[in-house]
């Protein structure tokens, strides 16, 4: 990426800092307050809510978040020696006159007042907020302790330590380091042999070789995919009250492979936000757009689906701003941000980029499933072809076939296609196709009405036919547009109303070729679509992807010409309109029009002489006869049963940009209310930042590219800060989710900027390169040991004078236990699995109950990121260890230490099975108790035990064996065996304990 706005001055490599010739400098101590560091946090915490960016909420017309002539007069002294109006108000003796007001219960401290006074004495200088300025990477500095530095990261940290006379802590021992490398890069500990290979290596570049191997491991992608899934609010269910399962695991699989392939972060961003808009987009790039399909979906009957689509957009704007801007933009949904320069209009302008996407399912190819389907379909073809041979012996197949043909021919009528001259719908667009069918696209609601008007002479018309037709653009190929609750691709036609020149046309008998899913006391038949009750209606649920038809007879033949209007009303507690359909009329008088069980093309064959049909057409009719005659009903049962075994191809949720001829309009919503749309808003980035280039289209793809361009000063900073937090426990900016004025300032601003520019420019957005740089630093490789005195000086390790100590994620707790026990499955990707947990977690206390059928075989012991994630009832063990629910973007997990975690570690089935596996394997660890204890210790903690620890373990085993001999039931319980078995596994049970 060519830098035009970023101020980049940095070496060509992370090691070139050693050649820098800049003079050694230390930050000079000064009593003068610095605005961004000292003053802005005070004003932001105490003043901006009433005197900040939000014009509607601003009091007394005073704005303090940026310099102006008005606040200059208030801030500066009226005359020499006289305090400014601002200072008088913050120090006023009368509490009612003092600022902030006493009712805010947010008074300034004496120290804060002193800082503001000294700032005023400087002339009240302002500085732009650091995060909104382009990152500037200076040369890494030198310091007297540069000998401790391994790369540029260390140089910046040592410079910060210099004024305190401190240096880095010694390098950690190799056992500690190898465990740290594995946990941080792969998410589980090394085996004893893997640890020894590193510890015993005499190679000078032992660290480098190990890091190369770990970064190339497939487990690396899994480790960092889990962290990204928190941001992507990934889950395997929809959320809200029904919380039904959804298929989106292919997005997770794409994510793992993208990270393992070190897909540059800029392309990684574009693929997820706008992969579908790329020229010749690949299937992988389309799958990547599932990122914003992770949003929850409300299927409750009483909701307005368009309202919750709006709330989905709210979630997408908030998630995008958190991940690529590090800003809390959701505040601006209802009003201009109180603290950051993000306006109410900015919010909806950014929403407009995301508002023009449709949300289809994408069917994926799977060679094994495709092969299985092909074999079943070939067998189905053979069975259907063999149906004539299974005709009852007491019946003549040829005679019955001819009789069926003659009977059917006499029942058919002549249909005239009805091509409307005008079509209308609530939200959908109805396109008229060449075959006179109409195809719906766009949005839909719970009560949609299609109105079709045709002009002509309607004299003699006796019936109308409605064909419900499949189409590849529809969910599950249609013919309906239902996309949640019930089968995808279903429809529900509540009422059909017809008028001629404004006068109602009375409809009598109605027939259909198939009906199901009746509600409101009905059976889902076509007759229920003309009963005057919108609660009942016609549905073909369960036979999606097929053509269907319904025929509505008029009570009296029509007379006259003019405007014929047909209204199709779809009224359900969820959107379920027709996606593709066609209308026709008949004037045939000698036979009543009824729905037929075959398509138009087949119907035309009955108009010919049977004996003059081509062999192909006759075979086609014979197949229809065999599939419908009652004489072969029992023979077809085998075919129907086999057809139900056809495996479904995997699907995933994706984005697809709407056509240019049917765009959505985005509005500014007053107070963030869905029901209060105001003026239309065009897509644009927040005004605080440089806009899109004038030469690019204003769409989602351009926006994605802008986010990772040099026009956005935040994306690289935010990402390197998140990665820093992954390795050091907390970011250089502690509020990883908030780089705004309310967020924490960076502890090492020059290092943060250097890393951001190095990541985006020198490193070409390579995360593997960034991670290698971080873990190769002396700062990362430090020991965590520290003296009490040093700890007292810096308890939160702000100066990075020691290695961080922090808890691993909940998924890693389980993964580490399984790997130590030799149980962890190495399989990459695939659908989610169901490891053991108490059954009632997903069946009790939740509306959308889920039968948690525990996975068997290798799926039982897969990594935690593959565990099925139900939003309303997340996997209990992970929740106990602070994992998120997937309901919202999570930039920083809480870290707790509770008794529940200890109880879970003692009682969780998965952890107990890991202990049992180790207990069973203990005899293979050596001939002596000491050898077994040592190996067991190392499998779990990597390092060898010291003499006291080893003796303690051996003593424990001896005591435990003695106790278990007297309590065999406990031994059976520990090993998960039945108490009635004769021999309790005493030794194994002792090691399990």
């Amino acid at each position: 990426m060519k830098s035009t706005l970023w101020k980049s001055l940095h070496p060509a490599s992370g090691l070139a800092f050693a050649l820098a010739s800049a003079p050694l400098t230390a930050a000079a101590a000064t009593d003068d307050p610095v605005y961004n560091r000292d003053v802005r946090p005070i004003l932001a915490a105490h003043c901006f809510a009433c005197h900040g960016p939000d014009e509607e909420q601003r009091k007394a017309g005073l704005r303090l978040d940026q310099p102006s002539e008005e606040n200059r007069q208030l801030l500066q002294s009226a005359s020499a020696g006289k305090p400014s109006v601002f200072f008088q108000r913050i120090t006023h003796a009368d509490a009612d006159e003092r600022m902030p007001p006493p009712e805010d219960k947010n008074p300034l401290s004496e120290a804060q007042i002193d800082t503001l006074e000294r700032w005023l004495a400087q002339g009240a200088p302002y500085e732009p907020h650091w995060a909104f300025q382009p990152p500037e990477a200076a040369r890494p500095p030198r310091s007297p302790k540069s000998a401790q530095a391994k790369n540029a990261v260390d140089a910046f940290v040592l410079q910060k330590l210099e004024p305190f006379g401190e240096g880095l802590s010694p390098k950690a021992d190799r056992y500690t380091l190898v465990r740290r490398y594995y946990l941080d890069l792969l998410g589980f500990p090394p085996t004893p042999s893997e640890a020894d290979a590193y510890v015993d290596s005499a190679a000078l570049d032992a660290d480098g070789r190990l890091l190369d191997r770990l970064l190339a491991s497939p487990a690396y992608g899994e480790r960092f995919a889990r962290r990204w899934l928190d941001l992507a609010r990934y889950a395997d269910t929809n959320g809200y009250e029904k919380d039904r399962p959804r298929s989106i695991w292919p997005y997770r699989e794409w994510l793992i492979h993208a990270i393992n392939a070190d897909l540059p972060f800029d392309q990684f961003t574009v693929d997820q936000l706008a992969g579908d808009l790329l020229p010749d987009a690949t299937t992988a790039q389309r799958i990547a757009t599932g990122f914003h399909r992770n949003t929850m979906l409300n299927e409750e009957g009483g909701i307005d689906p368009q309202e919750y689509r709006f709330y989905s957009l709210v979630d997408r704007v908030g998630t995008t701003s958190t991940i690529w801007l590090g800003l809390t933009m959701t505040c601006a949904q209802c009003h201009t941000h109180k603290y950051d320069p993000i306006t109410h209009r900015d919010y909806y302008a950014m929403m407009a980029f995301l508002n023009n996407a449709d949300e289809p399912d994408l069917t994926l190819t799977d060679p094994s499933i495709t092969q299985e389907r092909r074999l079943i379909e070939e067998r189905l073809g053979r069975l259907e072809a063999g149906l004539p041979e299974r005709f009852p012996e007491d019946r003549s197949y040829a005679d019955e076939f001819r009789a069926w043909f003659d009977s059917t021919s006499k029942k058919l009528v002549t249909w005239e296609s009805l091509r409307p001259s005008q079509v209308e719908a609530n939200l959908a667009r109805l396109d008229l196709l060449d075959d006179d069918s109409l195809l719906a696209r766009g949005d839909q609601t719970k009560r949609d009405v299609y109105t079709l008007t045709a002009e002509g002479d309607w004299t003699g018309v006796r019936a109308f036919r409605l064909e419900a037709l499949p189409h590849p653009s529809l969910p599950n190929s249609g013919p309906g547009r239902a996309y949640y609750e019930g089968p995808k691709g279903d429809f529900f036609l509540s009422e059909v109303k017809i008028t001629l020149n404004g006068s109602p046309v009375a409809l009598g008998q109605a027939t259909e070729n198939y009906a199901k899913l009746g509600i409101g006391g009905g059976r889902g038949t076509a007759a229920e679509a003309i009963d005057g009750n919108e609660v009942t209606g016609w549905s073909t649920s369960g036979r999606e992807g097929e053509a269907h038809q319904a025929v509505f007879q008029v009570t009296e033949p029509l007379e006259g010409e003019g405007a014929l209007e047909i209204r199709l009303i779809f009224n359900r507690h969820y959107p379920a309109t027709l996606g593709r359909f066609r209308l026709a009329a008949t004037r045939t008088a000698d036979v009543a029009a009824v729905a037929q069980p075959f398509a138009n093309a087949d119907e035309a064959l009955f108009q010919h002489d049977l004996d003059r049909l081509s062999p192909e057409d006759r075979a086609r009719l014979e197949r229809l006869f065999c599939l419908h005659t009652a004489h072969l009903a029992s023979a077809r049962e085998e075919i129907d049963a086999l057809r139900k075994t056809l495996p479904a191809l995997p699907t995933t949720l994706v984005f697809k940009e709407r056509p240019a001829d049917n765009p959505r309009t985005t509005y500014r919503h007053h107070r963030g209310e869905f029901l209060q749309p105001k003026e239309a808003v065009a897509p644009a980035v927040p005004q605080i930042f440089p806009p899109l280039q004038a030469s690019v289209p204003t769409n989602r793809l351009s926006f994605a590219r802008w986010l990772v361009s040099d026009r956005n000063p935040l994306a690289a900073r935010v990402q390197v800060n998140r990665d820093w937090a992954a390795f050091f426990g907390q970011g250089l900016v502690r509020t990883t989710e908030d780089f705004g004025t309310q967020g924490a300032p960076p502890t090492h601003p020059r290092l943060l900027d250097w890393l951001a520019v190095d990541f985006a420019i020198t490193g070409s957005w390579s995360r593997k390169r960034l991670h290698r740089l971080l873990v190769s630093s002396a700062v990362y490789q430090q020991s965590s040991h520290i003296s009490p005195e040093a700890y007292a000086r810096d308890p939160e390790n702000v100066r990075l004078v020691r290695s961080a100590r922090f808890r691993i994620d909940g998924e890693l707790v389980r993964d580490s236990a399984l790997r130590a026990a030799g149980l962890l499955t190495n399989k990459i990707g695939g659908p989610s699995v169901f490891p053991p947990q108490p059954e009632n977690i997903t069946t009790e206390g939740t509306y959308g109950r889920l039968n948690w059928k525990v996975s068997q075989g290798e799926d039982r012991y897969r990594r935690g990121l593959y565990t099925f994630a139900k939003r309303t009832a997340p996997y209990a063990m992970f929740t106990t260890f602070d994992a998120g629910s997937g309901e919202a973007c999570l930039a920083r997990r809480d870290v707790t230490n509770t008794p529940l975690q200890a109880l879970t570690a003692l009682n969780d089935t998965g952890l107990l099975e890991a202990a049992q596996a180790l207990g069973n394997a203990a005899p293979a660890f050596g001939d002596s108790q000491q050898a077994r204890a040592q190996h067991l210790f190392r499998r779990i903690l990597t390092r060898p035990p010291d003499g006291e620890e080893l003796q303690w373990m051996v003593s424990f085993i001896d005591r435990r064996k003695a106790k278990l001999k007297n309590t065999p039931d406990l031994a059976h319980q520990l090993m998960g065996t039945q108490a009635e078995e004769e021999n309790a596994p005493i030794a194994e049970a002792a090691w399990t304990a």
Side-chain angles (χ1 to χ4, degrees), residues 373 468-482 487-491 513-514 540-548 578-580 599 643:
R373 286 182 63 89
L469 304 170
H471 192 272
S473 69
L474 301 172
N476 211 14
S477 294
R481 304 181 70 208
K488 291 186 177 183
D490 185 23
F491 69 90
N513 69 325
Y514 174 75
T540 60
S541 178
R543 289 193 180 177
E544 288 68 45
E546 301 178 16
H548 303 283
L578 266 171
R580 181 176 171 230
R643 184 171 282 110

Side-chain angles (χ1 to χ4, degrees), residues 369-420:
I369 294 178
T370 301
Q371 172 68 2
E372 186 178 356
R373 286 182 63 89
R374 185 182 64 79
L375 294 175
I376 293 176
E377 286 167 348
E378 288 177 353
R379 187 180 170 194
L380 285 170
R382 292 192 297 269
L383 289 173
E384 289 182 358
L387 281 175
E389 301 172 7
R390 303 179 66 178
F391 210 76
E393 294 181 359
D394 59 343
R395 298 272 182 175
S396 167
Y397 173 82
D399 291 345
E400 293 286 350
F401 169 62
R402 183 172 291 276
W404 172 79
F405 178 86
D406 293 340
S407 173
T408 302
S409 299
K410 294 176 183 178
K411 295 177 183 177
L412 298 181
V413 300
T414 302
W415 291 102
E416 305 169 26
S417 182
L418 194 158
R419 188 174 181 87

